[in-house]
Amino acid sequence: MSVSTQMEMLDVFYQKLESFSLKDNGSDIIKPVCEKANSLLDEEREVVQKLEKEVLKENEKEAELLRMMNEAKTVLDMHQQKVKEYQALLEQENELHKNLLKKIEVIKEDIRIETDNETAADDLSGESVKLAIFREMGILMKVDDDYQVKRSFLNTDDGHEVRSIPLENYNINTTSKFIWDFISKNM
C-alpha cells in the first residue's frame, strides 16, 4: 500500500473519530487513540514531504542532465559541421597542391630546356665561334683524340704556301691575329 493511500485512510479515520461522540467515559478512551492517530498522521506527512522534496530534487537533476545533454548534442553537431567544412577545405587544398605540383613540373621542364639552351649557347663561346669561322673559310684545324684543336693549317689560294700555327702555345686571340694576317695578305 502506498504512503498516499495510507494517509488518505488515516484522514478518513481521523474525521470519523472527531465526529464520533461518546459519553464522557468514551472520550477518555478515544482521546489517546486520536492523539496516537494524529501523531502517526504527522509522521506520515513528514515522510511524504521528504519524499516530495526528493522527487523535486531528482526532477531538477533530470532537467539539468537533459539541458546538459542538449548542449552536448548542439556542440557535437557544431563539431561535425566543422569537420565537414575542414574536409571540404582539405579536398580543395589537395586539389591546389596537385595543380601546384603540375605547375612545378612544367616550370622544371622549362628550366631544363632553358638550361640546355644556355649550355648550347655557352658551348658557342668566343673561341668556338672563331674556330668555326676559320673552318668555314678553309683553314684546316688539327683535332687530337681529346677533341682539342692543337694546330691549324693555312693554305694560300694557289696552294703554294702552307703555314702551320700551333694553337696550344698561343691563346685564341693571338692565333686569330696570325690567321687574319695570313688571310689578309693572301687575298
Side-chain angles (χ1 to χ4, degrees), residues 136-156:
E136 290 297 317
M137 296 175 68
I139 301 168
L140 301 174
M141 301 291 184
K142 181 176 182 324
V143 180
D144 287 342
D145 293 335
D146 60 355
Y147 298 103
Q148 295 292 319
V149 178
K150 301 293 184 181
R151 184 169 294 279
S152 66
F153 297 98
L154 305 162
N155 294 322
T156 56

Side-chain angles (χ1 to χ4, degrees), residues 9-40:
M9 288 174 57
L10 284 174
D11 280 336
V12 170
F13 176 71
Y14 181 70
Q15 288 172 358
K16 285 182 183 180
L17 280 178
E18 284 181 346
S19 65
F20 183 73
S21 69
L22 291 176
K23 300 209 179 190
D24 293 332
N25 289 346
S27 69
D28 289 339
I29 295 172
I30 293 179
K31 191 174 184 180
V33 171
C34 283
E35 288 175 359
K36 180 70 175 169
N38 279 336
S39 171
L40 288 172

Side-chain angles (χ1 to χ4, degrees), residues 2-187:
S2 72
V3 174
S4 60
T5 307
Q6 287 178 354
M7 284 189 54
E8 287 175 11
M9 288 174 57
L10 284 174
D11 280 336
V12 170
F13 176 71
Y14 181 70
Q15 288 172 358
K16 285 182 183 180
L17 280 178
E18 284 181 346
S19 65
F20 183 73
S21 69
L22 291 176
K23 300 209 179 190
D24 293 332
N25 289 346
S27 69
D28 289 339
I29 295 172
I30 293 179
K31 191 174 184 180
V33 171
C34 283
E35 288 175 359
K36 180 70 175 169
N38 279 336
S39 171
L40 288 172
L41 186 58
D42 288 340
E43 288 176 10
E44 288 297 321
R45 282 184 184 139
E46 286 178 18
V47 168
V48 168
Q49 286 175 348
K50 286 181 184 177
L51 289 173
E52 286 176 344
K53 286 181 182 178
E54 287 180 20
V55 167
L56 284 174
K57 285 181 184 178
E58 291 301 318
N59 285 343
E60 288 173 359
K61 286 180 183 177
E62 181 182 357
E64 180 64 18
L65 287 173
L66 284 172
R67 185 190 62 75
M68 289 170 57
M69 188 175 75
N70 286 335
E71 285 179 6
K73 185 179 181 318
T74 302
V75 169
L76 178 65
D77 291 343
M78 288 175 17
H79 287 296
Q80 287 175 339
Q81 182 63 30
K82 288 277 187 195
V83 166
K84 287 179 184 176
E85 290 171 6
Y86 290 146
Q87 285 174 338
L89 285 173
L90 182 61
E91 289 175 14
Q92 289 175 351
E93 290 297 320
N94 283 337
E95 192 62 34
L96 285 172
H97 185 267
K98 287 178 187 176
N99 289 340
L100 287 174
L101 288 176
K102 287 178 185 176
K103 287 181 181 178
I104 287 171
E105 288 303 316
V106 168
I107 290 171
K108 282 182 179 179
E109 182 62 22
D110 289 347
I111 289 172
R112 186 192 61 76
I113 290 170
E114 193 65 32
T115 303
D116 289 348
N117 289 343
E118 286 178 9
T119 303
D122 288 345
D123 288 345
L124 294 176
S125 64
E127 294 177 7
S128 299
V129 171
K130 288 178 184 176
L131 292 174
I133 292 171
F134 293 144
R135 267 184 260 132
E136 290 297 317
M137 296 175 68
I139 301 168
L140 301 174
M141 301 291 184
K142 181 176 182 324
V143 180
D144 287 342
D145 293 335
D146 60 355
Y147 298 103
Q148 295 292 319
V149 178
K150 301 293 184 181
R151 184 169 294 279
S152 66
F153 297 98
L154 305 162
N155 294 322
T156 56
D157 284 338
D158 59 5
H160 289 55
E161 190 176 340
V162 175
R163 183 179 283 175
S164 170
I165 302 174
L167 297 178
E168 60 190 357
N169 295 333
Y170 303 104
N171 67 25
I172 192 65
N173 291 328
T174 306
T175 305
S176 296
K177 185 176 183 315
F178 284 133
I179 293 172
W180 287 117
D181 287 343
F182 180 79
I183 291 172
S184 304
K185 290 180 191 173
N186 293 305
M187 292 195 102

